[in-house]
Amino acid sequence: METTHVILDPAYHIGAVDPRIFGGFLEHMGRAVYEGVFDPGSAHADENGFRKDVLGALRQLNMTAMRYPGGNFASGYHWMDGIGPKRQRPTVRELAWQSIEPNQFGTDEFMKMASMMDWTPMVTVNLGTGTPEEARNWVEYCNCPVGSRYADLRAENGSKAPYQVKLWGLGNEMDSPWQLGHVPAEQYAILAQQAAKLMKDTDPNIETVACGTCAISLPTYMEWDRTVLEYIGSFADYVSLHRYVGNPKGNTVDYLAVTNSIDQQIEEMDAVCRFVQARSKSKKRHYLCFDEWNVWYRTRSAEHTRGSGKFAPPLIEERYNLEDALVVAGFLNSFIRHADIVKIANIAQIVNVIAPILTRGDDMLLQTIFYPFAMYSSRRDGIALLPSVSGPAYDSPSYGRVSVIDTSAILGDGVLHAFLVNRNIKETAEIEIDHGRGKLVSVISAEAVSGPAPDACNTYENPNVICSQPLQAVKISEGKASIQLPPLSIVAITFRTA
Ligand code: AHR
């Protein structure tokens, strides 16, 4: 294959990478909380009932913002059901996923876990069946000093010190017909504005995320976002977007080009934000919070999405393969390339439910998508650079022309992190990285994920088919690097620079 030339000039800045783009999402759904992070009966449980093996694996993912408690679950959740003495917490029928929720894990357990894991908590309030006042009370419970009703309740429940939750979601996917309490854009905008005002009056330091369009296929795409942002103005700081992708036709080459469409979605949403800012002659620019993203297509049917009135039923437990790992890397490349626009992103989700980690009894399995996330998030500090890529490309039937090599880069302090994905199924790719007016001095670390076939995956019996391995095929000469990328691979390299 013809060599791909990548220029990563240190002067071509896109913007500082917000660490919160390496966020996760924990929903009360399926086996994400119960049997996932929280399993008091497990041999791996600590004194809180938290699974040490799962938290240990999550630590390797170096996640930042952690979104909780949903998702669709949030739209029927009453947070006071999940606090106080455990024996007194109600067991309720959960409607979003048709399951049973015993409320043995709630706000205080989540905050304890977030603090142990060094996560930035990101709480989604209920604007489906809840009220602005209930949302505001939750802010008081989490953030206010003792001396008023809900803050005192928190202290009674064990934490005198406020949790200082900075990020609050104003509902979840309220534009979707499947959402509990779904309403038209105008009605949601009024509700979200009322809630945000009360919440910000309770704690002026919080930041809020308005629900944007959750699926580009919905007929209200863009119109919903414009309506909401125009009305809510500075009561929201970010607008959310969601994206789940897949390969239902089994066409790997086409599937791997989906990053074009992720770039496009980000740019279209940003265009709405700028339009609203310009039209309202406001100083306020809304940034993007990509608070659900991943591969999800195999487990969409009712059998995988309806809990049939059970506790912790196995819901949407996708089994990921090599091509999915490349797509996850593609999402991350896209977020880095849009570092000036995307400030928060949360992979959906973290354990068992469309997740990089699976549990089965006391066993745990790291799925293919675990590895790109870990490779990128351990190299996240710095400024995103604008890559110039010239090399082979192809035409994808669904997503148009795309370069065989997908790239992003982060300039750190005396280091350059380069991320490369080879979409070619059969051939090794030759890459030359030119650091423009800078120089590459040496390789600090280099790792790659590749495998025998697009559908190769890890199993409990054979757990290391797809994992990251040190990459030797990187050479430096005269300040430039040449790299050989195996077919269907993800590579992350940290260079020392001068
Ligand atoms: O992540 C699974 C579900 O996908 C979330 O609950 C919902 O917000 C989205 O539709």
Side-chain angles (χ1 to χ4, degrees):
M1 207 191 339
E2 171 199 341
T3 301
T4 297
H5 297 275
V6 180
I7 303 173
L8 302 172
D9 192 299
Y12 293 167
H13 293 187
I14 297 171
V17 175
D18 193 318
R20 297 174 302 175
I21 66 170
F22 294 97
F25 170 33
L26 175 65
E27 175 164 11
H28 279 257
M29 162 179 192
R31 303 189 308 119
V33 171
Y34 309 106
E35 296 187 24
V37 291
F38 179 73
D39 195 355
S42 165
H44 299 295
D46 69 7
E47 66 283 7
N48 304 298
F50 302 166
R51 267 188 77 147
K52 287 184 279 187
D53 56 340
V54 172
L55 295 191
L58 284 169
R59 241 179 224 112
Q60 293 176 53
L61 292 180
N62 227 347
M63 284 173 163
T64 48
M66 187 58 67
R67 183 171 181 246
Y68 174 84
N72 296 342
F73 173 85
S75 298
Y77 181 56
H78 298 292
W79 66 269
M80 288 194 64
D81 289 347
I83 59 165
K86 291 202 176 184
R87 271 180 316 203
Q88 290 168 23
R89 297 186 195 176
T91 293
V92 299
R93 200 165 273 285
E94 195 288 305
L95 298 183
W97 304 107
Q98 297 285 312
S99 308
I100 289 295
E101 172 55 58
N103 284 304
Q104 294 303 292
F105 186 96
T107 305
D108 299 299
E109 289 77 23
F110 174 68
M111 294 302 163
K112 177 167 264 176
M113 186 175 286
S115 145
M116 282 168 59
M117 297 295 289
D118 214 10
W119 292 333
T120 299
M122 186 176 163
V123 174
T124 303
V125 302
N126 174 357
L127 292 188
T129 63
T131 62
E133 187 168 30
E134 182 183 12
R136 163 267 160 241
N137 294 345
W138 207 357
V139 175
E140 181 182 319
Y141 185 84
C142 290
N143 287 5
C144 291
V146 288
S148 59
R149 190 198 306 182
Y150 296 101
D152 288 352
L153 198 51
R154 180 194 67 237
E156 264 171 49
N157 290 335
S159 183
K160 184 159 186 244
Y163 295 130
Q164 292 177 321
V165 178
K166 174 108 182 158
L167 276 172
W168 292 81
L170 301 170
N172 175 70
E173 295 194 347
M174 293 298 295
D175 61 319
S176 67
W178 57 84
Q179 202 64 209
L180 301 172
H182 161 65
V183 284
E186 292 76 9
Q187 265 170 267
Y188 167 71
I190 292 170
L191 189 65
Q193 188 271 345
Q194 288 171 340
K197 174 163 177 15
L198 294 181
M199 292 161 73
K200 288 193 173 207
D201 283 348
T202 304
D203 179 357
N205 296 316
I206 65 168
E207 293 185 317
T208 55
V209 183
C211 288
T213 299
C214 69
I216 56 173
S217 54
L218 286 174
T220 46
Y221 181 50
M222 301 280 96
E223 201 45 38
W224 167 281
D225 308 272
R226 183 190 63 76
T227 308
V228 170
L229 291 179
E230 278 184 352
Y231 187 83
I232 202 163
S234 59
F235 286 105
D237 301 288
Y238 305 94
V239 59
S240 75
L241 59 168
H242 292 176
R243 186 71 184 271
Y244 293 105
V245 300
N247 184 14
K249 294 188 190 136
N251 182 341
T252 301
V253 173
D254 192 35
Y255 176 41
L256 295 179
V258 71
T259 44
N260 272 359
S261 145
I262 297 161
D263 287 344
Q264 185 180 340
Q265 185 183 355
I266 291 171
E267 287 157 21
E268 286 171 351
M269 282 293 284
D270 184 49
V272 176
C273 294
R274 289 171 189 248
F275 171 83
V276 170
Q277 182 184 12
R279 214 164 87 140
S280 55
K281 300 198 176 4
S282 162
K283 289 203 169 60
K284 177 86 182 175
R285 162 119 174 248
H286 294 100
Y287 289 98
L288 304 191
C289 172
F290 216 126
D291 55 17
E292 285 185 36
W293 64 269
N294 204 346
V295 173
W296 176 21
Y297 68 104
R298 301 169 181 94
T299 57
R300 286 278 189 177
S301 63
E303 134 200 34
H304 296 285
T305 53
R306 295 181 75 83
S308 310
K310 295 197 180 107
F311 163 67
L315 298 180
I316 62 168
E317 301 200 358
E318 291 263 330
R319 288 311 194 88
Y320 292 115
N321 61 23
L322 177 60
E323 64 182 20
D324 299 328
L326 266 70
V327 167
V328 161
F331 267 105
L332 295 170
N333 281 340
S334 183
F335 301 155
I336 294 167
R337 284 195 300 264
H338 294 94
D340 54 335
I341 301 171
V342 179
K343 301 296 177 186
I344 306 160
N346 307 75
I347 188 171
Q349 299 190 7
I350 57 172
V351 54
N352 288 329
V353 170
I354 43 173
I357 300 167
L358 290 177
T359 62
R360 186 179 68 183
D362 285 336
D363 293 339
M364 185 182 72
L365 178 68
L366 305 184
Q367 298 223 66
T368 59
I369 63 168
F370 180 91
Y371 295 98
F373 197 99
M375 283 158 70
Y376 281 64
S377 69
S378 62
R379 295 178 170 85
R380 66 170 173 239
D381 295 331
I383 293 163
L385 295 185
L386 185 66
S388 156
V389 179
S390 53
Y394 63 92
D395 292 303
S396 127
S398 309
Y399 308 109
R401 193 151 184 81
V402 67
S403 168
V404 171
I405 304 300
D406 188 45
T407 315
S408 68
I410 299 175
L411 184 69
D413 189 10
V415 295
L416 174 71
H417 307 294
F419 306 103
L420 303 155
V421 174
N422 181 6
R423 295 179 167 114
N424 193 298
I425 301 183
K426 295 204 179 99
E427 292 180 53
T428 297
E430 308 278 343
I431 315 285
E432 187 195 75
I433 298 187
D434 180 339
H435 196 29
R437 63 203 81 184
K439 266 192 173 160
L440 303 178
V441 176
S442 61
V443 176
I444 297 174
S445 64
E447 49 185 324
V449 170
S450 61
D455 61 355
C457 55
N458 297 335
T459 60
Y460 284 97
E461 295 66 41
N462 212 349
N464 298 316
V465 177
I466 307 293
C467 54
S468 67
Q469 306 277 358
L471 180 75
Q472 309 299 344
V474 188
K475 294 205 170 50
I476 302 226
S477 159
E478 296 177 5
K480 297 181 184 172
S482 54
I483 305 140
Q484 293 198 320
L485 256 65
L488 278 188
S489 64
I490 308 157
V491 162
I493 311 171
T494 302
F495 298 101
R496 193 170 306 289
T497 58

